[in-house]
Amino acid sequence: MSACSGAKATGDVSLAVCASKAYAAGATTNEKVTCAKCPTGYTCENDKCCPTKEYTCKMQYDAGRFGTNGKHIPNHHYTRYFYSTAYKSCMLFTFYGMAGNSNNFPDYNSCMKFCKP
């Protein structure tokens, strides 16, 4: 969770989502990332470090991993979409809830809206 988004360290990343519907920096790793320390490829948006189109849409998808203890929690994974530069379209993948990267959208339409050239 990004602490600047007000999210709790419960694995609920929904509170650290940018306007693009991509996750803010630190959202899936329980890290506190302030706008003063946005990583490369991110900009400050409503007190969150949000990924730029140029940075996000060129990344390969990353399915992430299960919780910090490494144990599988039944039904604790998410159907998400990533942008594929090879196909110039968004494609389905399974996100496991932690880590991953910003090329990770809740639905096809938000992915295409953000990444479509």
Side-chain angles (χ1 to χ4, degrees), residues 42 55-61 82-83 85 101-103:
Y42 288 73
Y55 178 74
T56 298
C57 303
K58 292 179 182 175
M59 299 176 92
Q60 291 288 73
Y61 84 94
F82 73 97
Y83 185 77
T85 55
N101 64 35
S102 60
N103 192 358

Side-chain angles (χ1 to χ4, degrees), residues 56-113:
T56 298
C57 303
K58 292 179 182 175
M59 299 176 92
Q60 291 288 73
Y61 84 94
D62 184 341
R65 64 184 186 342
F66 289 114
T68 55
N69 62 7
K71 294 181 180 176
H72 172 68
I73 301 169
N75 301 318
H76 200 263
H77 55 274
Y78 309 92
T79 300
R80 304 286 289 187
Y81 290 82
F82 73 97
Y83 185 77
S84 167
T85 55
Y87 293 104
K88 295 185 180 9
S89 186
C90 294
M91 303 181 79
L92 189 70
F93 79 104
T94 299
F95 178 58
Y96 292 99
M98 291 196 69
N101 64 35
S102 60
N103 192 358
N104 183 334
F105 297 88
D107 56 68
Y108 177 85
N109 290 335
S110 60
C111 178
M112 287 300 291
K113 182 178 179 182

